[in-house]
Amino acid sequence: MTLSTADVCALALLAHHLGRDLQRAARRAGGPRSLLTASDDVFCAALGVSGAGRARVAGVRRQVAQTDAEAVLKARGITAIGAGDGRASPLLAQAFDPPFGVFTTAPGRCAEAWDGRRPVIAIVGSRRAGVASTAFAASLAAGLVRRGAVIVSGLARGVDAAAHRGALDAAGTTIAVLGAGVDSSYPRANRALRKRIDAEGAVVSEYWPETLPAPWRFPARNRIVAGIAHAVVVVDAAATSGALITADFAVELGRPVLAVPHPPWEAGGAGAVNLIATGAAVCRGVDDVVDEVPHPGWTDLGGAVPPTELEGTAARVFDRIRTCPGRLDELVSHLSLEAREVSAALAELELAGLAVVDAQQRWLAQPTH
Amino acid sequence: MAVMVCVITSPAIVGLDTATVQVEVDLRPGLPAFAVVGLPDAAVQEARERVRSGIANQGYRVPPVRIVANLAPADLRKAGPQYDLPIALAILAGAEQLSPSAVAGVGAAGELALDGTLRPVAGTLAMAEHAARHGWRALVVPVQNAAEAALVEGETTIIPVGSLREAAEVLAGERPVPIVAPAPWPPDVRNDVPDLCDVHGQPAARRALEIAAAGMHSLLMVGPPGGGKTMLARRIPGLLPPLTRDDAITLTRIHSVAGRLPPGQGLMSRRPFRAPHHSISAAGLVGGGRLPQPGEVTLAHLGVLFLDEVGAFQPQVLDALRQPMEHGVVDVVRAMASARFPARPLLVCAGNPCPCGHADDPGGRCVCPPGRAETYQARLSGPVADRIDIRIEVPRVDSAALIEGVPDEPSSAVAARVEAADARRIERGQQYPNARLQGTALRKAVSLDGNGRRVMESAMTRLGLTARGFDRVLRVARTIADLDSSRKVGESHLLEAVGLRAYRSLG
């Protein structure tokens, strides 16, 4: 199936104005092209609209037909990549229910990222993730980038944001798939990150640029995240987390799914543990992902970061938090040191990227890959 | 009876300043009446009844004539009951029950009870200073205010009296002038200030308190309810360096004017601790009123202003703190009068990490949606962020630490280190605490070596330290070095200051 830019725009605009998804209607009408060229009666039948709604649908179709969508896109610096276009993701084409096309502000970087020469890894997880999970996601993304991978995620809070950030910090490429138009600045908390991705990575969406976020668009977005990735890594997910939807799509496509193990008493990791129980591979770090995803694009270059030489108090504090994370007060009493020595050592570790403090004010050693 | 006008003076309080008010009483034949003119407020109007009863009950006679009391200048609003005594004395002099020469050049202030005894009034110290400055012969004050009035050195004789009769008899030379000794200096302090040895565990918070006290650095404590934030804040005044006598007199003047000097106490020898509730208005916090009254920020001058639940204060109320925190004074300008109050407290704020208060509870009891804690924190730090040097987390205390109850270091030990650090600051020739170091003075006080520069560079890149945050770290590091008796600000001082920085995401 090949769709022109004009077709992709027309379908996205229709979906935008009608406020609904056209995938099923397109299947009923015998394909997206047939849906676009169908009479109003056939169009409404495919959409399942009858009675008074038909006049509105016809009106929207007329309005869309009169819109010069491509000029709008051009003015906003957005490109539509239709299914079957040379720049489209070949992996996404194999996905179940592939989108008619995607909109992006960086078509060149997208095409280069998903042309198949580099492994594309999706890193997803909870929005409520603790700092241990986000730190792991960031360092995993950085480690995978150094091995030649492209990182895909959904620009949500928590794990998603950490994965993008980790990839960018390691000077890698990252693709953010939105559940709204590419113009949307949702979620607001990630505005600064969004700017970095615009400059160094790519933001893609199947929706018309003005589309607002809606709850049902996020699961649909997850099928694209899974669709363009060679494998999905679930860093943490509660039993009902949306990250599991991404994993399900990957399973249906027969692509590897990895999950980070969590202790059973951490409710926030139950979904990830369930994935492992049902056959997902265990992800302990970069090597597990490389082993699980056969791809010629993996490199050995720039593997691990050379460990920083630690001495004195900093070394003692680091050894302690590596095995037993703790709050400043706890570290002071366990190590029998002065508060000022421990806090200076923790600041030194934090500046060296070797320690982070979580929401419970516990200091944790940063995973290094 | 002779028609005569008798004049006695009384100092009026305007903000922290004073003005001379002439109290004139005219007795002239006519139907018995009593009028008070000269922009009096309700309390001054009611003086008529107190004065009438007071004179009669002290065994004098209220002349059955038309009495007019005029308070000059007529355009200055007179407030409060302090004019009872001068009006009564002027009537006695006018009625020749007291020699008019006995009251010439004499000032008086005091509230009369119906039986003619005196009640204390606010602002006596400022009044005594006014009397001395203007060369008044004597100032009659209620005996309860004697101790503060006695602080003033000068030619003016302070006459502390308990009743109208006593005042008249002393002025007439029928009784000796009662002697009042000024409050002793240095005072015996710190014995009833809460002590740091009651705080068990919490070594990190103790250390932060010590640094805040040594450099007068404003402090934000974030933690769940029950972590002891208030308990810690109450112990800060006991850690601050002792007051100088001049500072103590300044504090006495402020608290006396506000009518908040504890009865019988001549001198505010202890640093104040003020903890206004979060429902306070902007005028309550920084001062206000038709006749300007000092606000909490002035009452906490040279002490601690503690804002608990700082996120619950109205943002515009916190915004009003901008001027005092930057300039150390508050200008209250009203239609009737304007006043300038000193306002240089150590600002200590406390807040919960999220609306429910449990974001950092390891038991995971937080019920706030994702991201809520960060937005709450942004709001919490927003208006006060510019004024906070040190931020610490105060976790819930382990029950073990509470039960074991090993007494920790007492306030006196910490205060000694704070005083030593303060002495090094003075040795450096620096007039003001490190918290007020800025610009070139800051650069001069903190010169970074190669290692120091490296620490600060990585703090800026890795932690996103802003220019403002950079200066804050330097100021705090200067104090840490002072506590360490170090002339130079070294790498370890900077690192510890980085750990105490005001901005830190919850992760």
Side-chain angles (χ1 to χ4, degrees):
Chain A
M1 177 187 67
T2 303
L3 285 172
S4 71
T5 309
D7 292 343
V8 173
C9 290
L11 287 161
L13 261 175
L14 282 169
H16 173 59
H17 288 304
L18 293 170
R20 48 186 295 180
D21 187 31
L22 296 182
Q23 298 284 342
R24 185 142 46 122
R27 275 200 302 281
R28 280 198 198 151
R33 286 283 318 152
S34 331
L35 182 72
L36 277 175
T37 53
S39 67
D40 282 349
D41 284 349
V42 175
F43 190 94
C44 287
L47 213 53
V49 172
S50 58
R54 296 161 62 114
R56 185 176 157 255
V57 172
V60 167
R61 289 192 78 193
R62 270 197 304 283
Q63 186 194 340
V64 169
Q66 285 161 9
T67 310
D68 187 354
E70 285 172 276
V72 174
L73 287 189
K74 202 169 172 197
R76 296 181 179 215
I78 296 168
T79 308
I81 302 177
D85 187 312
R87 295 170 296 176
S89 162
L91 278 183
L92 185 58
Q94 302 163 11
F96 170 73
D97 220 4
F100 305 126
V102 292
F103 296 92
T104 176
T105 49
R109 280 200 289 270
C110 279
E112 200 189 319
W114 61 40
D115 63 4
R117 283 182 296 170
R118 290 199 271 170
V120 180
I121 306 297
I123 299 179
V124 296
S126 168
R127 288 182 295 148
R128 293 192 73 140
V131 77
S133 293
T134 53
F136 182 85
S139 76
L140 180 67
L144 289 169
V145 157
R146 288 192 206 99
R147 300 290 300 268
V150 169
I151 304 300
V152 181
S153 196
L155 196 66
R157 294 171 177 283
V159 169
D160 286 18
H164 291 303
R165 202 170 281 129
L168 292 173
D169 284 347
T173 306
T174 188
I175 300 175
V177 186
L178 304 191
V182 288
D183 274 1
S184 144
S185 57
Y186 181 87
R188 284 167 57 86
N190 290 340
R191 270 174 303 178
L193 176 61
R194 167 69 198 262
K195 281 206 184 103
R196 285 184 68 190
I197 299 177
D198 279 334
E200 303 164 48
V203 176
V204 304
S205 165
E206 66 172 308
Y207 301 109
W208 180 251
E210 290 157 3
T211 307
L212 297 175
W216 55 269
R217 294 205 170 101
F218 293 100
R221 173 272 307 268
N222 290 352
R223 86 187 194 285
I224 303 179
V225 173
I228 58 181
H230 289 99
V232 171
V233 181
V234 178
V235 172
D236 76 357
T240 56
S241 169
L244 301 178
I245 299 174
T246 314
D248 282 348
F249 282 120
V251 169
E252 281 176 40
L253 291 166
R255 302 199 185 143
V257 172
L258 297 96
V260 176
H262 285 257
W265 56 85
E266 274 183 17
V273 173
N274 290 348
L275 281 176
I276 295 171
T278 53
V282 171
C283 173
R284 288 161 295 187
V286 174
D287 291 341
D288 284 333
V289 181
V290 175
D291 289 348
E292 198 64 26
V293 184
H295 196 283
W298 292 117
T299 60
D300 286 333
L301 284 174
V305 187
T308 315
E309 287 293 321
L310 290 175
E311 322 175 313
T313 317
R316 279 185 67 193
V317 173
F318 185 64
D319 279 348
R320 173 77 197 178
I321 61 174
R322 210 155 42 164
T323 50
C324 185
R327 295 194 306 239
L328 177 50
D329 287 345
E330 292 162 355
L331 295 171
V332 168
S333 64
H334 278 298
L335 298 170
S336 303
L337 290 167
E338 298 261 348
R340 64 190 162 86
E341 297 173 295
V342 178
S343 52
L346 288 169
E348 185 181 341
L349 293 172
E350 191 180 17
L351 291 181
L354 293 171
V356 285
V357 61
D358 73 3
Q360 280 85 51
Q361 302 309 320
R362 283 180 316 183
W363 285 88
L364 324 165
Q366 273 266 42
T368 45
H369 291 296
Chain B
M1 149 190 276
V3 174
M4 73 168 300
V5 175
C6 187
V7 180
I8 190 164
T9 45
S10 186
I13 303 286
V14 183
L16 285 188
D17 297 328
T18 44
T20 301
V21 170
Q22 304 279 352
V23 180
E24 306 170 342
V25 170
D26 184 18
L27 309 176
R28 51 181 57 246
L31 283 176
F34 191 173
V36 178
V37 296
L39 223 53
D41 75 350
V44 182
Q45 282 293 354
E46 290 167 354
R48 291 177 296 177
E49 303 308 323
R50 288 190 297 270
V51 167
R52 220 194 290 269
S53 297
I55 289 175
N57 288 330
Q58 289 283 308
Y60 295 105
R61 201 168 50 81
V62 182
V65 292
R66 181 174 162 72
I67 305 172
V68 179
N70 177 37
L71 310 180
D75 58 350
L76 176 73
R77 186 161 283 272
K78 325 298 183 303
Q82 65 167 81
Y83 300 101
D84 293 4
L85 181 62
I87 292 173
L89 286 173
I91 291 174
L92 292 186
E96 289 179 330
Q97 298 178 69
L98 175 64
S99 153
S101 62
V103 298
V106 168
E111 175 181 346
L112 280 179
L114 291 182
D115 63 359
T117 56
L118 282 177
R119 292 206 165 106
V121 291
T124 317
L125 172 57
M127 292 181 195
E129 286 171 334
H130 179 91
R133 208 164 39 240
H134 291 81
W136 294 5
R137 185 162 66 82
L139 179 70
V140 185
V141 296
V143 68
Q144 297 94 326
N145 298 122
E148 49 174 308
L151 291 172
V152 180
E153 286 155 9
E155 299 300 304
T156 307
T157 312
I158 300 296
I159 305 177
V161 293
S163 68
L164 178 61
R165 177 164 284 279
E166 200 183 337
E169 287 175 1
V170 172
L171 286 175
E174 293 160 19
R175 265 180 197 246
V177 176
I179 304 292
V180 192
W185 189 264
D188 179 23
V189 283
R190 287 202 181 125
N191 42 13
D192 56 348
V193 178
D195 198 285
L196 208 52
C197 66
D198 309 333
V199 178
H200 300 301
Q202 311 239 26
R206 291 168 151 273
R207 172 72 178 164
L209 254 50
E210 181 174 334
I211 296 167
M216 288 298 268
H217 296 289
S218 49
L219 175 71
L220 170 64
M221 295 187 276
V222 177
K229 289 169 292 189
T230 306
M231 189 180 179
L232 287 164
R234 286 196 176 278
R235 278 150 182 81
I236 297 176
L239 306 182
L240 293 170
L243 288 170
T244 64
R245 188 163 190 275
D246 284 350
D247 285 342
I249 287 181
T250 305
L251 287 182
T252 309
R253 190 181 307 125
I254 294 170
H255 286 256
S256 166
V257 161
R260 288 174 193 273
L261 207 58
Q265 191 177 334
L267 190 60
M268 278 280 295
S269 47
R270 228 175 293 126
R271 293 183 183 260
F273 177 87
R274 307 289 307 178
H277 185 253
H278 56 68
S279 60
I280 192 171
S281 68
L285 191 60
V286 298
R290 231 161 39 131
L291 291 170
Q293 282 285 308
E296 289 292 330
V297 70
T298 296
L299 294 174
H301 180 60
L302 303 176
V304 172
L305 178 64
F306 179 50
L307 305 183
D308 199 4
E309 306 291 349
V310 66
F313 283 74
Q314 293 290 326
Q316 62 268 36
V317 171
L318 293 180
D319 241 21
L321 281 177
R322 201 180 291 270
Q323 189 207 7
M325 296 316 288
E326 269 170 32
H327 304 295
V329 292
V330 185
D331 287 309
V332 179
V333 180
R334 295 293 187 269
M336 289 297 177
S338 64
R340 166 166 284 202
F341 297 115
R344 227 181 251 299
L346 169 55
L347 179 66
V348 178
C349 300
N352 291 333
C354 68
C356 83
H358 298 294
D360 52 5
D361 187 300
R365 280 196 286 159
C366 181
V367 295
C368 303
R372 193 59 213 283
E374 287 116 79
T375 48
Y376 182 79
Q377 293 257 322
R379 201 178 68 128
L380 179 119
S381 52
V384 283
D386 287 357
R387 292 131 218 161
I388 298 288
D389 276 354
I390 299 179
R391 172 186 163 142
I392 51 160
E393 313 294 332
V394 181
R396 197 182 298 277
V397 192
D398 289 351
S399 45
L402 280 178
I403 294 162
E404 281 169 22
V406 190
D408 261 298
E409 205 178 28
S411 289
S412 54
V414 182
R417 288 197 297 270
V418 167
E419 208 177 331
D422 201 48
R424 266 183 290 282
R425 187 256 308 167
I426 294 162
E427 218 174 83
R428 238 192 346 264
Q430 186 185 317
Q431 304 287 318
Y432 40 81
N434 293 341
R436 283 165 62 195
L437 278 174
Q438 272 178 354
T440 45
L442 176 61
R443 298 289 179 279
K444 214 180 116 202
V446 186
S447 58
L448 294 177
D449 59 6
N451 281 340
R453 228 169 278 134
R454 219 169 16 255
V455 167
M456 294 310 287
E457 268 163 26
S458 66
M460 288 184 87
T461 52
R462 202 169 253 283
L463 307 173
L465 208 61
T466 58
R468 230 180 249 265
F470 188 94
D471 281 1
R472 259 184 217 117
V473 168
L474 292 189
R475 281 197 287 269
V476 174
R478 177 66 263 173
T479 303
I480 294 171
D482 285 344
L483 281 167
D484 198 19
S485 324
S486 168
R487 195 181 292 272
K488 270 196 70 64
V489 174
E491 194 181 351
S492 65
H493 308 134
L494 288 166
L495 281 171
E496 192 183 353
V498 165
L500 292 166
R501 72 190 181 279
Y503 291 99
R504 137 169 295 167
S505 79
L506 268 182

